[in-house]
Amino acid sequence: YLRFQGLIFQGANGSSSTNVYATGGANHIELFACEIRGSQRQGLFSDANTDSLYIIGCNIHDNGGSGPSSRDHNLYIEGNNHVVTSSLIRGAPNGYGIQLYPSSSNVVISGNTIIDNSRGGVIVGGEGSPTRGARIMGNILAFNRGPGLSTYWTGQAGSDNIVRTNLTWGNSGGSIIGNGITNQGEINADPLFVNRPGGNFTVAANSPALG
């Protein structure tokens, strides 16, 4: 039952580093309006025994780049009942914006802008006990150099994973692909950022992302 508000977490270095590490059964931890940037590996990593981690209104960007190919992520999430919402998640140079893997349950990812990540926007996956009960809703998944959202299962696919009313655009690997998910109401349209090259990811007044 801790809240970290308005802080910058940056510059973790080492072969298995992360700027924020949730472990040891950590639960009911909130990061609100924080910035997580410039780690050599992960931006945030949560272990499988964590519960109720809330990431709200954060700016998470440019984490990773020194690890094995495609294995550094802005958010690397395991555990249960987590929420990632209203955040800007961008620019992972060697991985995904968010990776749910190898096991999680009842994670909500909603209302985020997930863009410009090298491997893809979001990957939902599993190994052994696969991800289940994920709710990925109302996000902008755009301009990633892989799929907007994809899945990866080493065995049995996950279950009850709902992907609903996400806006996808300009993802070079496709929009929303893979099995083990139910995709509903996808919107494929330009989000009309005010000034993406200049770092202003507010959407214009006529953006199809509104609402």
Side-chain angles (χ1 to χ4, degrees):
Y1 293 92
L2 297 172
R3 172 183 291 146
F4 299 90
Q5 181 171 341
L7 302 179
I8 297 174
F9 301 91
Q10 68 177 10
N13 59 73
S15 61
S16 186
S17 55
T18 180
N19 279 325
V20 178
Y21 183 26
T23 185
N27 64 91
H28 297 90
I29 307 295
E30 180 180 309
L31 281 77
F32 178 77
C34 292
E35 185 173 4
I36 301 172
R37 66 190 188 195
S39 170
Q40 284 192 349
R41 297 296 309 276
Q42 319 303 330
L44 176 146
F45 185 95
S46 64
D47 277 342
N49 58 354
T50 58
D51 194 288
S52 301
L53 176 67
Y54 307 113
I55 301 165
I56 304 170
C58 292
N59 182 6
I60 304 165
H61 63 96
D62 299 298
N63 293 286
S66 68
S69 177
S70 305
R71 294 186 182 179
D72 302 336
H73 314 294
N74 275 317
L75 297 175
Y76 191 147
I77 295 177
E78 302 178 58
N80 310 300
N81 306 310
H82 304 318
V83 175
V84 182
T85 188
S86 303
S87 295
L88 175 62
I89 302 164
R90 60 187 172 90
N94 188 34
Y96 293 90
I98 301 176
Q99 176 172 268
L100 294 183
Y101 184 87
S103 179
S104 68
S105 65
N106 304 319
V107 173
V108 174
I109 299 171
S110 68
N112 303 286
T113 298
I114 304 171
I115 59 172
D116 294 320
N117 298 286
S118 65
R119 184 66 175 166
V122 178
I123 188 166
V124 179
E127 179 179 329
S129 177
T131 291
R132 59 183 176 83
R135 296 292 182 267
I136 303 173
M137 306 178 295
N139 302 283
I140 296 174
L141 306 168
F143 303 110
N144 295 289
R145 295 185 297 281
L149 184 145
S150 59
T151 65
Y152 175 79
W153 315 104
T154 60
Q156 179 182 356
S159 60
D160 190 32
N161 297 308
I162 304 298
V163 179
R164 179 180 297 151
T165 322
N166 296 280
L167 185 146
T168 62
W169 185 255
N171 300 292
S172 60
S175 56
I176 296 175
I177 61 175
N179 64 335
I181 57 172
T182 300
N183 183 19
Q184 303 169 336
E186 178 188 348
I187 301 164
N188 187 243
D190 190 335
L192 300 178
F193 295 124
V194 169
N195 185 3
R196 177 176 162 235
N200 184 348
F201 303 105
T202 304
V203 296
N206 60 338
S207 171
L210 292 174

